[in-house]
Amino acid sequence: MNSVRPDNTDPMPLRSVTPGVGTIIIRFVGLLLVSVVVLALIWSR
């Protein structure tokens, strides 16, 4: 059984961080703040 090897010996490129991660974090924090405010308003009544 033959082993499969790549043609070049360059290291595999690392996967770069997608630019969408920042927007996902901002949306998550925004939704978290909105939910906290809504729950605080409901609780205060």
Side-chain angles (χ1 to χ4, degrees):
M1 187 168 185
N2 295 336
S3 62
V4 177
R5 297 186 180 195
D7 295 335
N8 56 2
T9 57
D10 294 338
M12 292 179 61
L14 296 177
R15 187 175 295 179
S16 62
V17 178
T18 57
V21 172
T23 57
I24 291 173
I25 293 174
I26 291 173
R27 287 179 185 175
F28 176 74
V29 171
L31 288 173
L32 185 66
L33 288 175
V34 169
S35 61
V36 167
V37 169
V38 169
L39 288 174
L41 289 174
I42 291 173
W43 182 74
S44 64
R45 290 186 178 192

